[in-house]
């Protein structure tokens, strides 16, 4: 597999090598050793989720407080989505930057998203099915949302009719979250990443 850093530091795109013949297809969609080599430490898998969405559904922008937050390894096993990564770490040189990665059941790419980053996606097809592993279990007291249509973020969603959950539609803006002191701190995230890498290498 080929693992490439994205423009948002702390996020990587994974392109697997697919082996197909008339019988079907095989591939490695996750390798802990390859990911650890790129990221600096392995993904400590604590929870695995599956999400199915109709076309034009937009989910996000979701994040969790650091520590422990949630690192995510995301792929699409049916249909297609545009997966979103947003740098919401206060003090980051790329604060506010976002990037899309197309995940689908053809190239079968995946993305790794480090703790402290915002995540979301838009379904490009009906029954778009994501599976993703998380480094920590869900904790509702530490989980937050930013409105995906916030003008300050300026996310160029690929639909004119986004379907949002009630939670995401009512989510506060980036400015509101910043004023509330809820956004992750960049330096704290760097320290958290360094500690995980030191534990792995040590």
């Amino acid at each position: 597999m080929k693992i490439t850093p994205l423009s948002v530091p702390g996020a990587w795109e994974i392109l697997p090598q697919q082996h197909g013949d008339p019988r079907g297809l095989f591939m490695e969609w996750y390798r802990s050793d390859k990911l650890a080599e790129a990221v600096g430490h392995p993904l400590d898998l604590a929870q695995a989720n599956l999400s199915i969405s109709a076309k034009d559904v937009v989910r996000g922008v979701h994040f969790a407080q650091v520590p422990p937050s949630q690192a995510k390894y995301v792929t699409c096993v049916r249909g297609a989505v545009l997966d979103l990564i947003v740098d919401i770490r206060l003090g980051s040189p790329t604060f506010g930057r976002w990037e899309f990665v197309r995940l689908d059941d053809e190239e079968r790419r995946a993305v790794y998203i480090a703790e402290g980053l915002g995540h979301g996606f838009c379904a490009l097809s009906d029954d778009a099915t994501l599976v993703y592993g998380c480094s920590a279990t869900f904790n509702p007291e530490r989980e937050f949302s930013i409105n995906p249509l916030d003008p300050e973020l300026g996310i160029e969603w690929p639909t004119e009719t986004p379907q949002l959950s009630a939670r995401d539609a009512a989510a506060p803006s980036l400015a509101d979250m910043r004023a509330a002191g809820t956004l992750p701190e960049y330096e704290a995230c760097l320290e958290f990443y360094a500690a995980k890498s030191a534990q792995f290498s040590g």
Side-chain angles (χ1 to χ4, degrees):
M1 58 178 55
K2 182 180 180 182
I3 302 179
T4 307
L6 297 174
S7 67
V8 176
W12 284 261
E13 175 189 88
I14 299 95
L15 178 64
Q17 184 177 3
Q18 302 186 60
H19 305 278
D21 60 29
R23 300 170 301 156
L25 178 118
F26 174 83
M27 66 178 221
E28 296 176 342
W29 72 274
Y30 171 71
R31 280 279 300 265
S32 62
D33 57 342
K34 299 293 186 183
L35 183 68
E37 183 180 333
V39 174
H41 57 81
L43 172 66
D44 297 323
L45 183 63
Q47 181 173 322
N49 300 331
L50 184 146
S51 170
I52 302 174
S53 300
K55 188 176 186 296
D56 294 328
V57 164
V58 168
R59 300 187 189 271
V61 175
H62 301 152
F63 71 97
Q65 287 180 327
V66 180
S69 189
Q70 277 188 332
K72 297 177 181 177
Y73 190 96
V74 187
T75 193
C76 182
V77 296
R78 180 178 183 183
V81 306
L82 273 186
D83 203 69
L84 173 80
I85 304 98
V86 187
D87 192 346
I88 56 169
R89 300 166 298 187
L90 282 175
S92 169
T94 55
F95 179 79
R97 179 181 296 176
W98 54 268
E99 184 171 356
F100 281 130
V101 177
R102 181 184 171 97
L103 305 180
D104 57 40
D105 56 11
E106 295 181 6
E107 291 194 318
R108 306 182 193 279
R109 296 175 190 270
V111 291
Y112 173 81
I113 304 161
E115 296 90 346
L117 294 174
H119 177 246
F121 66 86
C122 178
L124 302 177
S125 66
D126 282 324
D127 297 324
T129 304
L130 288 186
V131 293
Y132 51 102
C134 303
S135 64
T137 55
F138 176 74
N139 183 342
E141 295 182 358
R142 302 183 67 84
E143 301 281 336
F144 298 93
S145 296
I146 299 170
N147 194 301
L149 306 182
D150 181 5
E152 182 180 353
L153 286 175
I155 299 167
E156 298 174 2
W157 295 106
T159 175
E160 296 181 357
T161 55
Q163 299 182 48
L164 306 179
S165 70
R167 173 197 177 197
D168 290 341
S173 67
L174 182 67
D176 289 338
M177 297 299 274
R178 184 168 47 214
T182 310
L183 295 177
E185 296 282 347
Y186 181 61
E187 289 302 323
C189 290
L190 292 183
E191 291 176 6
F192 186 73
Y193 307 153
K196 291 176 72 71
S197 296
Q199 185 179 24
F200 172 61
S201 61

